Amino acid sequence: MQSFEGFIPYNLDMKSYNILFLCTGNSARSILAEALVTTLSGGKFIGYSAGSNPAGRVNPFASELTIEMGYPKEKLRSKNWDEYSLPDSPQMDFIITVCDNAANEACPIWLGHPSTAHWGFPDPAGVEGTDLIKREAFQKTLLGLTKNIEALIKLPIDQLDLLSLKKAIQDIHDK
């Protein structure tokens, strides 16, 4: 089981940011990222996820990990990214692609022109083998996402201009 000792308390008087994680199938990486940023940030970020071609279900290994971290099971569902391009959907402050396929696709036009970045991770849902091998792949992805998200949470977002912020978010993954 993943330990979440890195939880960072957040001053609720401060602004909270909406962040959308995109991946093609929205069944594993983007789901993990949505749950991680929401549970680890102490209210600083509200995580969302979606895909260009959603699988229609959350991968059972991703579901298991998100529930272990305390993310509500009822929030777990595979969604199409069009859901977040509608005028009445939450306005995103950040959009991060977490798989190579989504990074190369033509994304919808997002309202408010959020800062974007690409954090590519191998697809743990594509790993073949025993359940133990598959769980290890999901754990590896979870650890990488956790490292990135913890760095994101620590960014002084309100002190950076848009260009610096975009670079800082991308640099989190590139380092």
Side-chain angles (χ1 to χ4, degrees), residues 27-73:
S27 71
R29 293 164 284 192
S30 52
I31 296 285
L32 290 172
E34 169 188 345
L36 274 168
V37 79
T38 302
T39 58
L40 289 178
S41 73
K44 183 175 183 177
F45 290 95
I46 308 300
Y48 298 90
S49 69
S52 59
N53 188 20
R57 69 176 183 83
V58 175
N59 181 288
F61 295 104
S63 180
E64 180 181 295
L65 288 170
T66 58
I67 291 167
E68 283 178 9
M69 69 179 78
Y71 197 66
K73 184 177 182 174

Side-chain angles (χ1 to χ4, degrees), residues 33-134:
E34 169 188 345
L36 274 168
V37 79
T38 302
T39 58
L40 289 178
S41 73
K44 183 175 183 177
F45 290 95
I46 308 300
Y48 298 90
S49 69
S52 59
N53 188 20
R57 69 176 183 83
V58 175
N59 181 288
F61 295 104
S63 180
E64 180 181 295
L65 288 170
T66 58
I67 291 167
E68 283 178 9
M69 69 179 78
Y71 197 66
K73 184 177 182 174
E74 61 274 8
K75 289 191 171 201
L76 296 175
R77 80 184 165 85
S78 181
K79 305 163 285 300
N80 189 294
W81 63 17
D82 290 340
E83 186 173 316
Y84 295 104
S85 65
L86 302 173
D88 61 342
S89 63
Q91 185 169 330
M92 296 301 152
D93 299 294
F94 305 97
I95 296 181
I96 299 176
T97 55
V98 291
C99 63
D100 293 332
N101 293 346
N104 296 322
E105 293 184 29
C107 292
I109 303 299
W110 303 105
L111 299 175
H113 306 287
S115 293
T116 61
H118 175 66
W119 297 350
F121 288 93
D123 187 2
V127 170
E128 299 288 329
T130 65
D131 282 356
L132 179 62
I133 290 169
K134 291 175 184 178

